[in-house]
Structures are given as structure tokens and as C-alpha cells.
Amino acid sequence: MSMTRKNLDGLAITLMLLLCVCWGLQQVAVKLAAPIVSSSMQIGLRSGLAALMVYALILVRGIPFSLRDGTLLPGLAAGALFAFEFLCVAIGLNFTSASHMSVFLYTAPVFTVIGLHWLIPSERMHASQWLGIVSAFAGMAVAFSGAFVTSSKGLDDPHLVHMLVGDGLGVLGGILWAATTVTIRKSKLSEAEPTTTLLYQLAGAAAILLAYACSLGESMLIPASPLAWGSILFQTVVVAFASYLTWFWLLRHYLASRLSVFSFLTPLFGVAAGVLFLHDAISPRFAAGACLVLAGIVLVNRRP
């Protein structure tokens, strides 16, 4: 039986603000520790450790979990999509800044409403959502064009090519994130326990990203570095475990359309953290494009 979701209250608003801060910081945490532990190994390790924590929580609290309740196939699909989303993030951060990745990855709500529009009759888009999609795509075009303006060599400039590849992987990650959301929304996972959905996603990410990192000859032994351990612990305990569980709990109890309005805050926090901790340079064109993307995210999450 479907659960009745409610409007946001003070608790939900506070939790969403904290989640946006945590999610905005995760790209920065990965980038900071990347010279010590590769991005793909970091995300693979954090996913594996967090999956073990989620499974321990299921056992300790006796939370229902079964592979025979109709969630296995959509769970495997969601896990694979989630894994390839973060594989795009991991590889993309080798080529572009954390600030750029934050903006392009969080185009996901735009692609989500497009997918839901075609697949779920009750999710048909209205005029302001179409305007939001136009704004977001225009913003992406403006943000991408900024790289060409700053380069005198065009595509012969390796730095420009690297940035375009990284930014493009950020957008692809957003598309995969949207596909994950639609998969969950269209399957039995939409009414499953938050721990079930999260376990599938984390296990899938751990399997695929660790396999990818190990295929490159990387070791799973973390060097004795406070920065590397601090980054992985933050990503594991705060981001991959606590924040995702909180997010799925919120989705089960509050209206998703109201929660998703906060999504535009995450790239703002991500850009701010990138500038503060990594000294990312923000060009005027990228800033203008990012504003258009954020405006689009707000509009696609509005309801008439």
C-alpha cells in the first residue's frame, strides 16, 4: 500500500539543508585526497564500507530485507546505474574542477523530470518546467562555451580538451543519476525500506568501482595520511551512509516535489567549497551558465 507523503516541516527543512551541505562537499573531499588515493578507489572503498554499515544496521535493527520481494532486479539495475554515475564522477574529477563537477552533476533533476514526463502520465510537465529545461540546457551551453573563450588554441589545447571531457562526464553522471531515480520511482523500490534501496546502490558502486580501480593496478591499502583517511571517513560515514539513509527516509515521508526544490542549493555549496578549499577559478561565462542551470533546476521542481 502506498504511503501518504506530507508537506515539509521544520525537521525536513533542517535535514535537507544539512544534506545539501554534505553533498556539496563530497566532490571537494574526493578531489582533495585524489593525489594520495585515486578518485575511483576512494568512491569504491567508501561505497563498500558504507554497504557493510548498512547491512549491519539491517541485522541489528531487524529491518526487513529479502531478495525475493520483487526488489532484486530493479535493485541490481539501480546499483549499476548508481555505480556508473560515480564512475563518471571519479574519472571526470581527473579532468575538471570540483566546482564544475558540482554544477554539471546536479543537472540530474532536469533529466529526471524529462524521464518521468515520458514514463509516468501523472508526471507530465507544465509550462514553467519546460522553461526550466530550456534554461538549464542554455546554461550548460554557456558554461561549456566559457572554456573555448579562455583558450586561444581551440581543440588543440590539451587543457581545454581535458576540461570538456571532465564537464561532459559530469553531465553524463547527471543523466545516470536521473535514470537511477526513475528506476526507483517506477519499481518496487519506491516503497521498499530505505536500507534496501541504499544497500543495492552501494553494493553495486563498490563492486564496479573497486574492480575498475584494481584493473588499473591500484591498491586498496590506504596510505597513512590524515587527509586520505579523513576524506574516506567523511565520504563513508557522513555522505554514503548517514546522508543517503536520511534522504531515502525523507522521500518516504515527505513530498518528493517539495524536497527536490532544495537540490539547487547543493551545487551552490559545491562551488563555494571548491573556491574555498581548492581555489577553483570561476570564469564569468561559467558563473552565468551555472546561474541559468540553477534557475532551470528551480523551475523544473516547481508545481503549478
Side-chain angles (χ1 to χ4, degrees):
M1 183 178 295
S2 298
M3 298 178 61
T4 301
R5 271 74 170 181
K6 56 186 178 181
N7 284 313
L8 303 192
D9 52 24
L11 173 63
I13 292 172
T14 302
L15 289 175
M16 277 306 305
L17 287 173
L18 289 173
L19 291 183
C20 289
V21 172
C22 291
W23 294 338
L25 287 170
Q26 66 174 328
Q27 272 69 249
V28 174
V30 173
K31 190 83 172 181
L32 278 170
I36 306 168
V37 181
S38 75
S39 301
S40 53
M41 181 60 75
Q42 285 185 64
I43 299 174
L45 285 173
R46 85 172 188 195
S47 299
L49 293 171
L52 293 175
M53 293 173 66
V54 171
Y55 189 63
L57 180 66
I58 290 172
L59 295 178
V60 170
R61 299 191 60 182
I63 300 172
F65 176 76
S66 173
L67 298 177
R68 300 179 181 179
D69 59 0
T71 61
L72 178 58
L73 290 180
L76 292 175
L81 289 168
F82 184 79
F84 285 111
E85 171 202 336
F86 277 101
L87 185 58
C88 288
V89 172
I91 298 174
L93 282 172
N94 295 327
F95 296 99
T96 193
S97 67
S99 297
H100 279 221
M101 182 59 70
S102 294
V103 171
F104 289 118
L105 178 63
Y106 281 90
T107 56
V110 176
F111 296 112
T112 299
V113 297
I114 293 174
L116 293 175
H117 171 79
W118 293 110
L119 295 174
I120 301 178
S122 62
E123 297 281 355
R124 297 295 183 193
M125 287 185 286
H126 51 81
S128 67
Q129 287 182 304
W130 283 112
L131 180 60
I133 289 171
V134 172
S135 175
F137 279 103
M140 282 188 276
V142 171
F144 273 103
S145 70
F148 287 95
V149 172
T150 57
S151 174
S152 60
K153 299 180 181 178
L155 291 177
D156 292 329
D157 184 349
H159 177 71
L160 169 63
V161 174
H162 282 182
M163 182 177 291
L164 291 176
V165 169
D167 291 351
L169 285 169
V171 175
L172 180 56
I175 294 172
L176 290 167
W177 182 359
T180 306
T181 302
V182 173
T183 298
I184 293 170
R185 176 74 171 77
K186 284 281 292 178
S187 69
K188 291 200 69 174
L189 288 173
S190 64
E191 299 299 334
E193 292 288 339
T195 46
T196 296
T197 306
L198 183 55
L199 184 58
Y200 280 123
Q201 291 181 279
L202 291 173
I208 291 175
L209 272 89
L210 288 176
Y212 171 78
C214 290
S215 72
L216 299 178
E218 298 173 18
S219 171
M220 287 193 288
L221 296 176
I222 306 173
S225 163
L227 178 58
W229 277 99
S231 174
I232 290 175
L233 287 175
F234 168 74
Q235 293 178 60
T236 299
V237 179
V238 178
V239 177
F241 180 71
S243 79
Y244 289 168
L245 276 180
T246 303
W247 169 242
F248 286 123
W249 180 84
L250 287 167
L251 283 177
R252 292 192 73 205
H253 292 86
Y254 296 91
L255 292 169
S257 60
R258 305 295 189 269
L259 293 169
S260 55
V261 171
F262 284 85
S263 59
F264 81 97
L265 291 174
T266 301
L268 285 179
F269 288 127
V271 170
V275 171
L276 180 63
F277 295 107
L278 296 169
H279 309 293
D280 288 348
I282 305 299
S283 69
R285 276 182 177 259
F286 176 76
C291 288
L292 285 170
V293 170
L294 297 179
I297 293 171
V298 174
L299 287 171
V300 300
N301 284 303
R302 289 187 62 203
R303 289 293 181 271

